[in-house]
Amino acid sequence: MTGTVWQPPQDLPFHWHVYDVGHLLPDGWAAALLDVAREHAVRRVFRPTMSTAREVAGAEIPMHSVDGEVLRRAAPWTFDLYSGWFKQLGERTAEEKLEETSSDNRALSLNIQQGITMRYPCHVDSNPMQGLLYLTSCTEETGGGLVVARDRAARDVAGVDADAMRIYPSAGQLYFFDARRHAHYVEPLRRDDAVRAVLTMNYYSPSCPETVRPSGLDEQLFGR
């Protein structure tokens, strides 16, 4: 290095923490949630109408998911983890206590991708801690990676792809991260018969309360 003395940036780069928890959960947990998805998943079309969306105008992206209200009835143990052990694990990586959401739908969802035509929309989070428990594994060969922009100015998929990191999770891994300033999306799978399934968890905090959640997000995700 020559010339101007390099100084490290003040902002932290995007980072995440992973816990390998699948082998510690009850036998058959992933299969049970996949059964819930087969029975209860609803197809919706996501349109980027809220402030956290990072998609080109007019985009329409199909999504399959099981809402938190359904999970409360069909798999209540997921909420025990959300408000208990998983929350405690998330707080190990946070600088303050985490807060649960005010509704089941905002707390948990089970997101499903099938085949080569689906992806999860590009967005930034409004919550300071996101938890993701993966039911299935993804690799470079299967696709379905979580694609995260290094450039905080990225405003759509093309901007993310211009300088991105790709995370390929394994079944049973629990991820925690803060992606309020890093646009991210889930890339399509590469086989027609492939399935990607993840249980998502949202937490807020005293410094970033649930009141910051953008208008219109619930309507797009839950149809209300």
Side-chain angles (χ1 to χ4, degrees), residues 85-103:
W85 186 41
F86 284 179
K87 181 181 175 184
Q88 294 168 12
L89 292 177
E91 286 177 338
R92 291 187 177 186
T93 67
E95 297 180 353
E96 56 187 332
K97 291 292 186 180
L98 298 179
E99 297 178 347
E100 300 162 37
T101 63
S102 61
S103 73

Side-chain angles (χ1 to χ4, degrees), residues 37-143:
R38 280 187 283 269
E39 183 174 356
H40 296 289
V42 174
R43 183 185 186 277
R44 297 188 177 95
V45 176
F46 178 90
R47 297 176 177 86
T49 59
M50 70 293 302
S51 61
T52 52
R54 296 294 184 267
E55 293 282 350
V56 296
E60 295 188 353
I61 302 166
M63 300 170 54
H64 279 110
S65 62
V66 180
D67 292 346
E69 291 177 355
V70 177
L71 288 170
R72 173 73 77 176
R73 298 192 300 269
W77 55 270
T78 58
F79 279 86
D80 295 337
L81 289 168
Y82 167 75
S83 61
W85 186 41
F86 284 179
K87 181 181 175 184
Q88 294 168 12
L89 292 177
E91 286 177 338
R92 291 187 177 186
T93 67
E95 297 180 353
E96 56 187 332
K97 291 292 186 180
L98 298 179
E99 297 178 347
E100 300 162 37
T101 63
S102 61
S103 73
D104 290 346
N105 280 348
R106 290 181 175 185
L108 293 180
S109 66
L110 179 56
N111 295 334
I112 309 296
Q113 283 180 225
Q114 296 175 298
I116 62 176
T117 62
M118 298 179 67
R119 64 175 175 86
Y120 197 80
C122 190
H123 67 287
V124 293
D125 293 337
S126 67
N127 50 305
M129 186 62 73
Q130 182 76 25
L132 300 175
L133 175 64
Y134 285 91
L135 285 64
T136 56
S137 297
C138 296
T139 66
E140 292 186 22
E141 289 73 29
T142 66

Side-chain angles (χ1 to χ4, degrees), residues 140-160:
E140 292 186 22
E141 289 73 29
T142 66
L146 177 63
V147 187
V148 184
R150 294 189 177 94
D151 182 359
R152 296 186 178 199
R155 300 295 301 181
D156 54 27
V157 169
V160 173

Side-chain angles (χ1 to χ4, degrees), residues 6 19-20 23 38 40 63 91-92 109-110 131 142 145 178 184 189 203 212:
W6 178 83
Y19 293 101
D20 181 23
H23 66 293
R38 280 187 283 269
H40 296 289
M63 300 170 54
E91 286 177 338
R92 291 187 177 186
S109 66
L110 179 56
T142 66
D178 177 355
H184 54 289
L189 295 161
Y203 297 99
V212 305

